[in-house]
Amino acid sequence: AQKVTQAQTEISVVEKEDVTLDCVYETRDTTYYLFWYKQPPSGELVFLIRRNSFDEQNEISGRYSWNFQKSTSSFNFTITASQVVDSAVYFCALSEAGHSGAGSYQLTFGKGTKLSVIP
Amino acid sequence: EPEVTQTPSHQVTQMGQEVILRCVPISNHLYFYWYRQILGQKVEFLVSFYNNEISEKSEIFDDQFSVERPDGSNFTLKIRSTKLEDSAMYFCAGGRDSYNEQFFGPGTRLTVL
């Protein structure tokens, strides 16, 4: 079963528009962590934000904001006033305790949303 | 700001050959991971490593794969006999705690011919 679903494969926006990237996750754990990573054309994975399952407070950090709703298992990410440099693939990821009990929390990624910001 | 480094950036090998991908994690990280990303697809977990042993591995991480942290700084992924389907970008990652964000290296692109 797919644990992290990013239904939007590709999105195009015009510069300065706001854009929201959707993420729906599935887990049976009561404690888990959610992340957004950015993968620009150069290929590296850049950490953006992290949220704990026990903290539903939504926050804004610069042009980034996120909306975490446990009731709908969603963790959406919004970029305000998009810029060309925001063009990248954005991955939502879920972290749960490993089954071995050894305490590792591997990341399960969604398939990513490719964002293109057009000047 | 400290970064995760990976070498080489690109490795081309013949099918059946052994490859070793190297990573130098951030020095105060304790948890280490390898992920791979087949071109155009999502990032997939391979293995996690803590306290000098594997703590979790995925179905992808079969007997052809092994990891090592030989000297307390380098973290290596070895593929014993490469297959065509091993062609992918391999990312090393690390974190201070098991549940905190993981910081990724720039990746090694492995091409198996």
Side-chain angles (χ1 to χ4, degrees):
Chain A
Q2 191 170 6
K3 290 192 171 184
V4 179
T5 302
Q6 294 180 254
Q8 303 150 310
T9 306
E10 292 193 42
I11 299 177
S12 289
V13 298
V14 177
E15 202 172 18
K16 297 184 184 176
E17 286 184 347
D18 298 348
V19 57
T20 295
L21 309 180
D22 298 334
C23 174
V24 174
Y25 63 92
E26 178 187 329
T27 179
R28 293 181 179 178
D29 287 5
T30 54
T31 300
Y32 53 90
Y33 304 84
L34 294 161
F35 304 81
W36 278 96
Y37 281 84
K38 173 183 179 180
Q39 187 174 43
S42 48
E44 71 271 26
L45 284 163
V46 180
F47 163 74
L48 295 177
I49 55 176
R50 164 181 173 262
R51 210 79 197 128
N52 310 324
S53 57
F54 41 88
D55 183 1
E56 283 192 77
Q57 183 178 354
N58 295 310
E59 292 187 19
I60 298 173
S61 176
R63 294 188 300 110
Y64 298 156
S65 63
W66 50 97
N67 186 349
F68 174 33
Q69 293 196 348
K70 286 178 78 170
S71 59
T72 55
S73 297
S74 65
F75 184 51
N76 297 336
F77 175 61
T78 297
I79 303 173
T80 303
S82 59
Q83 301 174 1
V84 173
V85 294
D86 295 328
S87 297
V89 179
Y90 289 82
F91 290 98
C92 178
L94 167 70
S95 174
E96 308 162 289
H99 300 298
S100 69
S104 69
Y105 282 65
Q106 67 262 33
L107 294 171
T108 300
F109 285 83
K111 292 186 177 181
T113 297
K114 183 177 180 181
L115 173 65
S116 298
V117 181
I118 304 163
Chain B
E1 188 172 324
E3 293 179 336
V4 179
T5 60
Q6 288 186 244
T7 54
S9 56
H10 191 187
Q11 173 94 44
V12 181
T13 189
Q14 295 290 325
M15 191 170 58
Q17 294 295 305
E18 174 184 286
V19 295
I20 297 176
L21 311 183
R22 291 183 167 81
C23 169
V24 178
I26 295 171
S27 59
N28 65 351
H29 285 177
L30 300 175
Y31 294 81
F32 310 105
Y33 307 82
W34 282 101
Y35 294 83
R36 80 170 187 192
Q37 184 181 32
I38 295 172
L39 187 63
Q41 298 188 24
K42 68 176 180 180
V43 181
E44 299 174 293
F45 166 75
L46 292 177
V47 65
S48 57
F49 192 85
Y50 170 70
N51 201 23
N52 279 323
E53 61 183 18
I54 291 173
S55 48
E56 199 83 22
K57 58 184 179 180
S58 73
E59 291 175 354
I60 302 168
F61 194 88
D62 61 22
D63 292 343
Q64 293 301 311
F65 290 86
S66 62
V67 289
E68 216 178 23
R69 195 151 188 257
D71 55 12
S73 62
N74 291 287
F75 181 48
T76 62
L77 173 70
K78 182 194 291 186
I79 309 175
R80 258 180 280 280
S81 178
T82 50
K83 307 185 196 72
L84 294 176
E85 54 264 37
D86 292 328
S87 295
M89 182 75 92
Y90 288 80
F91 290 102
C92 169
R96 285 180 293 119
D97 302 301
S98 59
Y99 49 85
N100 273 330
E101 55 271 19
Q102 295 174 22
F103 292 93
F104 284 75
T108 292
R109 179 162 298 285
L110 176 65
T111 302
V112 182
L113 302 175

